[in-house]
Amino acid sequence: MELPKFLLGDNTDYPDAIFIIHTDYPRFIINLENDEVEWLEDFDSADEKELETEAGNLIQQANDFYDREVSRYE
């Protein structure tokens, strides 16, 4: 099965949270309520430098995805 790059997530235990799940490497979940990121990958010190560079870009893409999805409901 081919998954989309981003998915919207929701959970009634967290009524104010909106989760965006990034399904490509590096996989992560961001809570847009507080911008907390949970990485679903294990990184070594060599990966951390690349991650620092790419993380901001991926988080911006996640926010753009959310904005696009919400605009489609309006």
Side-chain angles (χ1 to χ4, degrees), residues 34-53:
N34 57 16
D35 292 333
E36 187 175 330
V37 176
E38 180 70 30
W39 296 99
L40 305 174
E41 310 285 354
D42 292 325
F43 300 105
D44 61 24
S45 58
D47 293 334
E48 288 180 17
K49 188 134 188 118
E50 180 181 340
L51 180 62
E52 287 176 14
T53 305

Side-chain angles (χ1 to χ4, degrees), residues 6 9 11-12 18 20 22-23 25-26 28 30 32 35 39-40 49 51 53-54 58-59 62 65:
F6 292 104
N11 187 303
T12 57
I18 299 168
I20 303 294
H22 182 251
T23 62
Y25 182 84
F28 65 87
I30 183 171
L32 296 182
D35 292 333
W39 296 99
L40 305 174
K49 188 134 188 118
L51 180 62
T53 305
E54 189 63 20
L58 289 171
I59 291 168
F65 164 77

Side-chain angles (χ1 to χ4, degrees), residues 1-2 9 11 15 18 21 31 49 53 58 64 68-69:
M1 167 183 13
E2 187 174 331
N11 187 303
I18 299 168
I21 301 99
N31 180 347
K49 188 134 188 118
T53 305
L58 289 171
D64 293 345
R68 186 193 77 187
E69 291 298 300

